[in-house]
Amino acid sequence: MMFTLPALPYELNALEPFISARTMEFHYQKHHQTYIDNLNKLITGTRFATLPLEEIITETADEPEYEAIFNNAAQAWNHSFFWNSMSPTGGKIENSSLEDRIIRDFGSFENFRAEFKQAAVSQFGSGWAWLVEKTNGKLAVMKTTNADTPLAHGLKPLTTCDVWEHAYYLDYQNRRAEFVEVFMNNLMVILAD
Ligand code: MN
């Protein structure tokens, strides 16, 4: 199976002024495309070539021999999920059952926001901040390093913020905390059922 760059759920400039079209040109058209191209090269002729992306991720996680495949597969998946974790009309909770679950597991929406921001800002170097659903149904905030993804840990991602510098450097330079605030206030979509 050859993977292709999935279509964005909005135009390249749809997230302006919060994320510029120029950032999206590099981040989606260059970085995301490169993960997919590298993955296709790495799996050609291997037993992974016929597997869906999610299975490639779980089968290569924690296998040093397959580190490059894991990194590119996870980054391909993480970026698709990130594009869907944002919307020009994001930043609010429109689903009352989701709101109830956030209050149940974090105490308040503000507590959730504070915990998510802390995870995103404190991730040293490249990585991701996530809201996940654990196998017991509870919601939790986590951060992952480099390409690591909750899928590799049996957790269901509900939203993510990319905190690799390439996600924000053109628009926010070194101001990651400002980027994370803008993400949560204006763009974030929580993909709960
Ligand atoms: Mn990225």
Side-chain angles (χ1 to χ4, degrees):
M1 183 190 308
M2 291 290 278
F3 293 101
T4 55
L5 187 67
L8 274 184
Y10 34 71
E11 299 298 318
L12 283 173
N13 65 359
L15 304 181
E16 291 189 342
F18 310 116
I19 295 178
S20 65
R22 183 166 165 76
T23 288
M24 293 300 292
E25 284 167 18
F26 280 95
H27 199 179
Y28 169 66
Q29 293 179 322
K30 307 285 188 201
H31 289 279
H32 194 182
Q33 181 72 61
T34 298
Y35 294 125
I36 289 168
D37 292 344
N38 287 341
L39 175 64
N40 285 332
K41 282 182 206 144
L42 287 163
I43 62 174
T44 298
T46 75
R47 67 182 174 90
F48 302 109
T50 56
L51 296 183
L53 189 56
E54 291 80 358
E55 279 184 46
I56 296 175
I57 291 168
T58 53
E59 297 238 337
T60 58
D62 299 320
E63 299 282 353
E65 181 185 357
Y66 300 123
E67 185 181 9
I69 294 179
F70 174 81
N71 284 338
N72 285 284
Q75 284 295 80
W77 192 92
N78 289 345
H79 281 86
S80 297
F81 191 76
F82 178 50
W83 310 135
N84 285 293
S85 294
M86 296 189 288
S87 153
T89 57
K92 46 195 177 283
I93 307 283
E94 288 170 343
N95 174 328
S96 65
S97 76
L98 171 64
E99 189 171 23
D100 291 346
R101 295 174 72 194
I102 287 174
I103 292 168
R104 181 193 70 191
D105 296 337
F106 295 97
S108 67
F109 187 55
E110 276 314 302
N111 286 355
F112 157 68
R113 286 168 47 89
E115 205 175 310
F116 190 90
K117 182 178 179 183
Q118 175 62 21
V121 170
S122 66
Q123 170 54 37
F124 187 79
S126 296
W128 301 80
W130 305 85
L131 174 66
V132 299
E133 183 181 300
K134 300 198 276 190
T135 48
N136 63 8
K138 287 217 172 196
L139 305 182
V141 164
M142 69 184 293
K143 57 188 177 182
T144 60
T145 298
N146 295 328
D148 194 16
T149 179
L151 292 188
H153 306 279
L155 300 163
K156 182 183 175 187
L158 302 184
T159 198
T160 193
C161 184
D162 186 344
V163 295
W164 286 55
E165 281 188 345
H166 69 220
Y168 58 86
Y169 212 83
L170 291 175
D171 297 328
Y172 298 91
Q173 293 78 50
N174 62 323
R175 302 188 307 278
R176 183 192 291 185
E178 187 181 331
F179 167 67
V180 173
E181 280 281 339
V182 165
F183 168 84
M184 289 191 299
N185 291 340
N186 305 100
L187 303 172
M188 180 173 68
V189 174
I190 297 175
L191 297 155
D193 301 329

